[in-house]
Amino acid sequence: MAKKTTPNKKISAKKPAKKRTTGQKIFRFFWLVFLWFNIISFSVVLLYKFVPVPFTPLMGIRALEHNEAGKDMVCSHEWVPIDEISLNLQKAVIASEDSRFLEHSGFDFEAMQKAYKNNSKGKKLKGGSTISQQTAKNVFLWQGRSYLRKGLEAYYTVLIELVWGKKRIMEVYLNSIEMGDGVYGVEAAAKHWFRKDAASLTRYEAAGIAAILPNPRKYKASNSSSYINRRKAKISREISFVKLEY
């Protein structure tokens, strides 16, 4: 009886996977880091467009500094909507910190150039940071002057300008910025310095808070020094010329 023969099937051997070179592995690692950083950072910025910012890196840093100095770890912070913040204060910080806030797209290159010229002449060091840049730094980053931090600050500044818009930037700024030793945000500052809420601040009181922002742990918004009183008077006058149209 004849045997039934079946044709031999060719067994195709799988080709071994091509190994990545060291350069390709490094590139892939940094590409994934870059990709995930952008996804996470954009997601957080988008979240903070609608959700109050509960905590900032600076609050944590200051709390640790207090602890190391043997002080109580104080962090007074209370979020309020921008509609409950005095227009006087909104105008005061624009007059004091960033006169072109409503005009620029996050960076005031004229102010930067002016600050560079003043600093190169040996005058008192001044920055050209806008309210948008300060907000990006306060909410997402640490203090310092490294190129890495400045680069990340620029990145977040562009992002919040695109996603948040001016009104939200102002709202987050006024609710997050340091306004005294362990005092963060305008509501806590109004109660700390003037025993009232943020909506009730007068022009001169708002000017007082804005006047201490360069160094809120050194200066006082009430019972101020002659230097701060001069700044208050100047800011108070300039408030009249600020047109607030978000």
Side-chain angles (χ1 to χ4, degrees), residues 184-223:
Y184 303 92
V186 62
E187 186 71 7
K191 290 176 179 177
H192 177 78
W193 294 116
F194 302 109
R195 304 292 186 266
K196 58 170 59 177
D197 56 46
S200 305
L201 289 170
T202 66
R203 178 184 294 192
Y204 195 68
E205 290 167 345
I209 292 176
I212 68 170
L213 293 184
N215 196 336
R217 294 195 297 165
K218 177 181 178 181
Y219 301 122
K220 295 181 178 181
S222 59
N223 299 319

Side-chain angles (χ1 to χ4, degrees), residues 159-173:
L159 209 53
I160 64 175
E161 281 279 345
L162 291 173
V163 177
W164 291 359
K166 295 294 186 182
K167 188 172 183 178
R168 180 60 175 178
I169 290 172
M170 177 61 74
E171 184 175 44
V172 174
Y173 173 79

